[in-house]
């Protein structure tokens, strides 16, 4: 079976766009696809999902529960516990492992809350 070449017909709606406009259109369409997925993740995460994410980041199983509980207590679950650990790691310029261990000990939680309130 030979497919009829209809490329010129299908591209008419974008034919006159500049490279910049094509670039912007690409990212706008990508956001339309990704944003609902992110929203689903924020609304539908569970402690077990968050523990699984942390385990895959290399966090010890003993620390995952403490971090998940800390995130729940501070209203950060919707941001993702892996994201919390990652942002603390970047902000403090320490490794993911060090950030996770510190959060499990109860350190840096005020900083984490502030980061997400400020939208960092």
């Amino acid at each position: 079976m030979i497919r009829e070449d209809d490329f010129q017909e299908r591209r008419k709606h974008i034919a006159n766009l500049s490279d910049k406009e094509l670039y912007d259109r690409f990212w706008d369409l990508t956001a339309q696809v990704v944003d609902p997925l992110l929203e689903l993740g924020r609304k539908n995460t569970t402690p077990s999902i968050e523990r699984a994410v942390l385990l895959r980041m290399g966090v010890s199983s003993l620390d995952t529960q403490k971090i998940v509980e800390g995130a729940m207590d501070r209203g950060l679950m919707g941001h993702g516990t892996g994201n919390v650990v990652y942002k603390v790691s970047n902000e403090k310029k320490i490794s993911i492992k060090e950030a996770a261990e510190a959060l499990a000990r109860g350190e840096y939680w005020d900083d984490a809350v502030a980061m997400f309130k400020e939208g960092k």
Side-chain angles (χ1 to χ4, degrees), residues 71-88:
M72 288 172 62
D73 292 345
R74 293 163 179 86
L76 296 176
M77 280 287 282
H79 297 287
T81 56
N83 190 23
V84 171
V85 172
Y86 176 76
K87 287 194 180 233
V88 167

Side-chain angles (χ1 to χ4, degrees), residues 13-65:
H13 67 286
I14 60 170
N16 295 324
L17 297 179
S18 69
D19 284 347
K20 170 75 169 120
E21 291 168 325
L22 283 171
Y23 178 88
D24 291 342
R25 179 168 167 77
F26 169 82
W27 286 111
D28 287 342
L29 291 172
T30 300
Q32 289 176 31
V33 171
V34 173
D35 288 348
L37 296 174
L38 292 174
E39 189 62 25
L40 277 171
R42 284 186 193 100
K43 290 182 177 178
N44 296 297
T45 193
T46 65
S48 62
I49 289 171
E50 295 303 320
R51 285 190 300 272
V53 169
L54 291 170
L55 287 169
R56 280 151 187 80
M57 291 175 68
V59 177
S60 80
S61 59
L62 297 173
D63 290 344
T64 60
Q65 183 64 32

